Amino acid sequence: MEGPTPVSALIHAATMVTAGVFLLIRCSPLFEYSPYILSVVCFFGATTAFFAATTGLLQNDLKKVIAYSTCSQLGYMVFACGLSSYSVSLFHLANHAFFKALLFLSAGSVIHAMSDEQDMRKLGGLVKLLPFTYVMMVIGSLALAGFPFLSGFYSKDVILEVAYAKYSISGNFAHWLGCISVFCTSFYSFRLLHFTFLNSTNSYKAVASHTHDAPAPMAIPLICLAFGSIFIGYLTRDMIIGLGTNFFEHSIFVLPKNLSIIDSEFIPTYIKLIPLFFSVLGAVVSFGILSSFGDPKYAYDLKMNFLGNKIYKYLNKK
């Protein structure tokens, strides 16, 4: 993660790290005839989504939180491939590129404004100094957390619905681990917003006096990515994952017995609402622990007691 932020945005959001998922999608004929391997792919994808999400919970480096988030989202894409839902995996890959690039470049805007400071504990109070960057970061975070009608909502929820509709051990395992990961995703997204923008400021006066919001060359890409983060999922869902779509033609092969996208349309409504519930819960818990609604001393005590300290060290040290 020691690269320049625009490089992180390109590599971590769209190209290098997602190349493996694209390879899985293109190798679908090989995987379809080996059900045991599909189960292995599903297992590792689900555990990766969970493991990386728990690691992201308590990181203090602005870019590390977003990087572990990428790793977690890759887990979703991989377990979707393990469930033979290759088109849904690619749909999430494409949506994820928009809001993750937006988050990385927004982080770059913050780091640039704050004289290359990346530690979130030394930021804070930037909502008044960098209002444009704050709005961009909120859009990216809400899309990542699966807020309704943003791009992440359309792809992440379909992945979890497809997992449930498998009615298999691996499907159930992936579904519930994925739902818990949604809670973690929402928690660390809003923790990042709180520490960076909403908290009382912890930066040096000399640094804060020179802050400036994103200039036009930085702002224009952010605006383009923000539009993508809001609308791209809605605009492309029927084209990429709609029933009967001819978008992939013969580039993806799925055995008829492995199809579950149709079944996922008919699962109970309360199952479809579980990710939304966890998403809201993650945001509420995050703000409840960190914000001044509660006593700030409460968060400190939580971290400094014996058990809290062990958990904090364990997750912070990966």
Side-chain angles (χ1 to χ4, degrees):
M1 286 311 300
E2 271 63 40
T5 313
V7 178
S8 299
L10 277 172
I11 291 175
H12 276 254
T15 51
M16 185 187 79
V17 295
T18 51
V21 176
F22 186 73
L23 184 67
L24 282 177
I25 294 166
R26 293 290 279 142
C27 291
S28 56
L30 294 174
F31 286 94
E32 282 302 287
Y33 286 108
S34 46
Y36 294 117
I37 298 299
L38 281 176
S39 298
V40 170
V41 170
C42 184
F43 173 79
F44 277 103
T47 42
T48 300
F50 175 70
F51 163 72
T54 54
T55 305
L57 282 176
L58 296 170
Q59 295 302 312
N60 295 315
D61 186 309
L62 186 61
K63 279 170 73 179
K64 275 188 182 175
V65 174
I66 306 171
Y68 280 109
S69 164
T70 303
C71 188
S72 179
Q73 298 306 306
L74 283 172
Y76 281 97
M77 297 173 209
V78 170
F79 85 64
C81 290
L83 299 166
S84 302
S85 299
Y86 305 99
S87 57
V88 179
S89 178
L90 193 78
F91 183 46
H92 191 52
L93 189 156
N95 287 348
H96 170 259
F98 281 93
F99 53 78
K100 194 49 61 75
L102 177 63
L103 284 168
F104 265 120
L105 290 180
S106 299
S109 177
V110 170
I111 292 164
H112 176 68
M114 299 302 289
S115 306
D116 299 332
E117 182 57 70
Q118 285 184 220
D119 193 329
M120 294 192 296
R121 294 168 297 185
K122 295 180 185 174
L123 302 174
L126 296 183
V127 65
K128 291 174 183 167
L129 297 172
L130 309 173
F132 172 78
T133 304
Y134 172 64
V135 170
M136 296 296 109
M137 207 82 158
V138 167
I139 292 171
S141 296
L142 288 175
L144 171 65
F147 194 75
F149 312 117
L150 297 179
S151 57
F153 168 75
Y154 288 106
S155 49
K156 187 191 279 187
D157 281 35
V158 172
I159 289 177
L160 294 170
E161 286 166 21
V162 164
Y164 184 84
K166 264 293 183 200
Y167 301 114
S168 64
I169 293 171
S170 58
N172 262 323
F173 176 78
H175 176 260
W176 287 109
L177 226 49
C179 285
I180 297 166
S181 304
V182 169
F183 170 83
C184 297
T185 304
S186 185
F187 184 95
Y188 63 63
S189 297
F190 285 91
R191 177 178 176 268
L192 181 147
L193 287 172
H194 183 269
F195 270 152
T196 309
F197 293 100
L198 305 174
N199 208 2
S200 51
T201 185
N202 291 313
S203 55
Y204 294 108
K205 186 178 178 182
V207 173
S209 62
H210 291 113
T211 49
H212 55 88
D213 218 333
M218 291 168 77
I220 293 165
L222 290 177
I223 292 167
C224 296
L225 290 166
F227 273 103
S229 300
I230 297 168
F231 297 115
I232 206 77
Y234 175 73
L235 294 174
T236 59
R237 60 188 179 140
D238 287 333
M239 179 177 80
I240 299 178
I241 59 170
L243 294 178
T245 178
N246 204 25
F247 184 73
F248 292 102
E249 291 200 349
H250 303 298
S251 57
I252 289 177
F253 171 75
V254 184
L255 285 174
K257 68 174 183 178
N258 287 342
L259 278 171
S260 63
I261 187 90
I262 300 166
D263 297 333
S264 72
E265 297 287 331
F266 300 103
I267 64 174
T269 308
Y270 74 89
I271 295 292
K272 294 187 178 190
L273 291 174
I274 286 173
L276 177 60
F277 170 74
F278 274 115
S279 193
V280 172
L281 185 67
V284 169
V285 170
S286 178
F287 271 129
I289 291 175
L290 299 172
S291 73
S292 52
F293 295 132
D295 184 359
K297 190 174 176 295
Y298 174 67
Y300 179 78
D301 291 342
L302 205 63
K303 179 178 154 184
M304 295 314 291
N305 68 46
F306 179 76
L307 182 63
N309 199 267
K310 291 288 183 198
I311 293 170
Y312 186 90
K313 278 186 194 167
Y314 181 73
L315 296 176
N316 182 263
K317 301 294 180 201
K318 306 177 271 293

